[in-house]
Amino acid sequence: MHTMRIIDQLLSFEPENRGTSISSALEFFGGITKKHCVAFLISDFQDTNYTESMAIMAQQHDLVAISLTDRLEQELPDAGLVEFSGLENAGAIIVDTSNKKVRTDYREMMREGRAELKDVLRNNQVDHIEIYTDQDYVQELIKFFRSRERRVADETGG
């Protein structure tokens, strides 16, 4: 129940600032938490330059990354000229989504980003839960915790 309450609070959270800085979040957490603990990092991981902070945090704590992914963001539809603007910046760009190469390059860029994230997490021994916005996250969390429980039991001989 406690986990579900935390998830509910996270889903209803209204941020004060725009922008993502995973590194800043990890450094802040590391500065206020001295005892070893299990820490959950929930993000879409659309950020850069956080691998060093993640490595440090993973050495100090049991870090679990929960990546939130919207399948609609993984591929561009063939919709002609589309203006894109991000929530985290003021600029906008026009993209010709009818261009097959643009769509292919975008799909590949998104695939590479997911693969890179998985490599970073694996290299730092960070557990990973991948949750898609169109799926039941509760089932994914239950599956993760059951798997983790079995792994810990195997490691401790219990």
Side-chain angles (χ1 to χ4, degrees), residues 29-37 60-61:
F29 183 78
I32 63 169
T33 308
K34 301 303 176 201
K35 289 185 178 181
H36 179 82
C37 68
Q60 298 171 346
H61 301 285

Coordinates of all heavy atoms in Angstrom, one line a residue, residues 29-37 60-61:
F29 N 19.8 13.8 -4.0 CA 19.5 12.6 -3.2 C 20.7 12.1 -2.4 O 20.6 11.8 -1.2 CB 18.9 11.5 -4.1 CG 18.4 10.3 -3.3 CD1 17.2 10.3 -2.6 CD2 19.2 9.2 -3.2 CE1 16.8 9.2 -1.8 CE2 18.8 8.1 -2.5 CZ 17.6 8.1 -1.8
G30 N 21.8 12.0 -3.1 CA 23.0 11.6 -2.5 C 23.5 12.5 -1.3 O 24.0 12.0 -0.3
G31 N 23.2 13.8 -1.5 CA 23.5 14.7 -0.4 C 22.7 14.7 0.8 O 23.1 15.1 1.9
I32 N 21.4 14.2 0.7 CA 20.5 14.2 1.8 C 20.4 12.8 2.4 O 19.8 12.6 3.5 CB 19.1 14.7 1.5 CG1 18.4 13.9 0.4 CG2 19.2 16.2 1.1 CD1 17.0 14.2 0.2
T33 N 20.9 11.7 1.7 CA 20.7 10.4 2.2 C 22.1 9.8 2.5 O 22.9 9.6 1.6 CB 20.0 9.5 1.1 OG1 18.8 10.2 0.8 CG2 19.6 8.2 1.7
K34 N 22.3 9.5 3.7 CA 23.6 9.0 4.1 C 23.6 7.5 4.3 O 24.6 6.8 4.0 CB 24.1 9.6 5.4 CG 24.3 11.2 5.3 CD 25.2 11.5 4.2 CE 25.2 13.0 4.0 NZ 25.7 13.4 2.7
K35 N 22.5 6.9 4.8 CA 22.4 5.5 5.0 C 22.1 4.8 3.7 O 21.4 5.3 2.9 CB 21.3 5.1 6.0 CG 21.7 5.5 7.4 CD 20.6 5.0 8.4 CE 20.9 5.4 9.8 NZ 19.9 4.9 10.7
H36 N 22.7 3.6 3.6 CA 22.4 2.7 2.4 C 20.9 2.5 2.3 O 20.3 2.1 3.3 CB 23.2 1.4 2.5 CG 22.9 0.5 1.3 ND1 23.6 0.7 0.1 CD2 22.1 -0.5 1.2 CE1 23.2 -0.3 -0.7 NE2 22.3 -1.0 -0.1
C37 N 20.3 2.6 1.2 CA 18.9 2.4 1.0 C 18.6 2.0 -0.4 O 19.4 2.0 -1.3 CB 18.1 3.7 1.4 SG 18.3 5.0 0.2
Q60 N 26.7 3.6 -3.8 CA 26.3 4.0 -2.5 C 24.9 3.4 -2.0 O 24.7 3.2 -0.8 CB 26.2 5.5 -2.3 CG 27.5 6.2 -2.6 CD 27.4 7.7 -2.6 OE1 26.3 8.3 -2.7 NE2 28.5 8.4 -2.6
H61 N 24.1 3.2 -3.0 CA 22.7 2.7 -2.7 C 22.3 1.6 -3.6 O 22.9 1.4 -4.7 CB 21.7 3.9 -2.8 CG 22.0 5.0 -1.9 ND1 21.8 5.0 -0.5 CD2 22.6 6.2 -2.1 CE1 22.2 6.1 0.0 NE2 22.7 6.9 -0.9

